Amino acid sequence: MNNLKRLNEAMNYIESNLDNEIDMKEVGRIALCSEFHFSKMFSYLAGMHLSEYVRKRRLSLAAIDLMRTNAKVIDIAIKYNYNSADAFSRAFYKVHQILPSEVKGSEEVLKAFPKMNFEINISGGNEMEYCIITKDEFNLIGFKKRVTITHNGVNEEIASMQKLLTAQSIKEIKAMSNTEPTGMLSASMNFVDRHIDGVGQMDHIIGVASTDASDTYSTTKIDAATWAVFTVDGIFPKALQETWANIYGQWFPSSSYIPTGGAELTWHAKPTIPGEHYEGEIWVPVKLNEDN
């Protein structure tokens, strides 16, 4: 359970820097994974995004400062990383339903949002089918685009890429598939996630795995790696979403592996149609946690 210990150590770092700038690279270093993958695990474990958690913790502590000290609103705003009293007041009101200037002497009930620590209860967990494989380097051939990371709903930038998949382009790309996982797949890689300070980005690829290269389509090299391969079987997109949640919310925290931060692949046995039966696999590059 050292993975879980590392997650909680990263949470302690965040807690000790709520009145400072949170260095997400340091968070990832403590948790032995990238900033993006820490944020992903946090979201599945906590049921909220890391930025929301940090915001609520800061505003919870700010309310205590307002009640217990004579500090000016602007000083507390700056302390908790807000650039102006107005921005701080808007955020504070959204959580506490009272302006920070009205807290002193008020009988209004303020909301407290306690610090989180994680623990995993294995009993009643979700059954997962997976295998660990090693694979030599290969290429991803297809369409590639740098897109904004979205954590809710449909990613419109990725959805727009589907328009590139004409009958002719699918035929040409599939003809170059000659290594596992064979057939059409999607991949996400080169994650830069500014979960606290701004918008994240990643490269998204729709195409095939191949030992060849292409002059017509984008060719992206994937280094040799160890992969955790998870089976997905159920109704689309629920089954796919639940498998991702179980990978990052249960499997990684309780396993001896950690994500490397490399390309994550989703292989589709057939075209994805919402509400219909889906079969596929999720490939995540992993390495053993040296602390275990």
Side-chain angles (χ1 to χ4, degrees):
M1 288 290 183
N2 278 352
N3 286 355
L4 193 62
K5 179 183 176 183
R6 282 283 186 168
L7 284 173
N8 283 322
E9 288 175 354
M11 294 301 296
N12 291 338
Y13 167 81
I14 290 172
E15 184 69 18
S16 65
N17 285 277
L18 289 172
D19 58 354
N20 204 340
E21 185 171 343
I22 296 171
D23 184 348
M24 288 302 296
K25 289 189 180 296
E26 179 64 11
V27 171
R29 187 196 67 77
I30 295 170
L32 295 179
C33 62
S34 70
E35 306 108 281
F36 173 80
H37 289 91
F38 174 83
S39 297
K40 203 167 184 178
M41 277 188 275
F42 177 91
S43 295
Y44 286 130
L45 285 166
M48 68 174 67
H49 299 305
L50 182 57
S51 57
E52 180 184 0
Y53 169 77
V54 170
R55 178 176 60 84
K56 287 184 176 180
R57 281 296 296 141
R58 282 174 167 165
L59 293 172
S60 183
L61 295 179
I64 295 173
D65 286 354
L66 287 166
M67 287 188 294
R68 295 181 179 178
T69 73
N70 292 317
K72 296 179 180 179
V73 171
I74 184 59
D75 292 333
I76 293 178
I78 292 171
K79 176 180 180 180
Y80 290 107
N81 218 38
Y82 286 87
N83 294 325
S84 70
D86 286 343
F88 172 67
S89 294
R90 287 194 297 270
F92 191 91
Y93 185 85
K94 189 173 182 180
V95 169
H96 297 288
Q97 298 300 300
I98 185 175
L99 291 172
S101 59
E102 299 172 339
V103 169
K104 186 69 72 173
S106 172
E107 296 183 358
E108 293 287 336
V109 177
L110 299 175
K111 294 182 180 179
F113 192 80
K115 174 181 178 290
M116 283 187 180
N117 285 298
F118 296 122
E119 59 182 45
I120 301 294
N121 294 318
I122 301 301
S123 60
N126 295 300
E127 182 178 296
M128 303 182 72
E129 293 184 5
Y130 74 94
C131 63
I132 304 295
I133 68 169
T134 56
K135 184 172 174 59
D136 292 335
E137 68 175 46
F138 61 96
N139 292 322
L140 292 176
I141 297 176
F143 296 105
K144 181 178 180 179
K145 183 180 181 181
R146 190 73 174 163
V147 302
T148 301
I149 295 173
T150 59
H151 300 284
N152 288 302
V154 176
N155 187 314
E156 296 298 340
E157 294 178 77
I158 292 177
S160 68
M161 293 178 67
Q162 298 292 331
K163 298 176 182 178
L164 301 172
L165 295 175
T166 64
Q168 183 62 28
S169 65
I170 291 174
K171 180 180 178 180
E172 292 174 353
I173 292 171
K174 288 184 73 173
M176 290 181 278
S177 173
N178 63 6
T179 186
E180 293 290 336
T182 56
M184 295 297 294
L185 56 83
S186 57
S188 297
M189 60 189 298
N190 298 327
F191 308 100
V192 177
D193 195 10
R194 296 291 174 255
H195 226 82
I196 303 300
D197 302 318
V199 176
Q201 291 186 320
M202 66 183 182
D203 290 334
H204 190 75
I205 300 169
I206 301 175
V208 298
S210 178
T211 57
D212 299 326
S214 172
D215 294 327
T216 306
Y217 298 96
S218 170
T219 299
T220 302
K221 178 185 173 183
I222 304 298
D223 292 331
T226 299
W227 301 79
V229 181
F230 300 86
T231 299
V232 186
D233 190 343
I235 301 301
F236 182 83
K238 182 179 180 182
L240 193 61
Q241 293 168 343
E242 288 181 345
T243 303
W244 276 116
N246 291 336
I247 291 169
Y248 279 93
Q250 295 184 21
W251 190 81
F252 270 124
S254 60
S255 78
S256 57
Y257 291 93
I258 55 176
T260 67
E264 297 180 338
L265 314 179
T266 306
W267 170 75
H268 317 288
K270 61 181 182 179
T272 56
I273 301 175
E276 292 194 3
H277 186 259
Y278 173 87
E279 293 180 17
E281 294 173 345
I282 292 173
W283 291 52
V284 183
V286 298
K287 61 183 179 180
L288 284 171
N289 183 346
E290 295 178 356
D291 282 1
N292 281 337

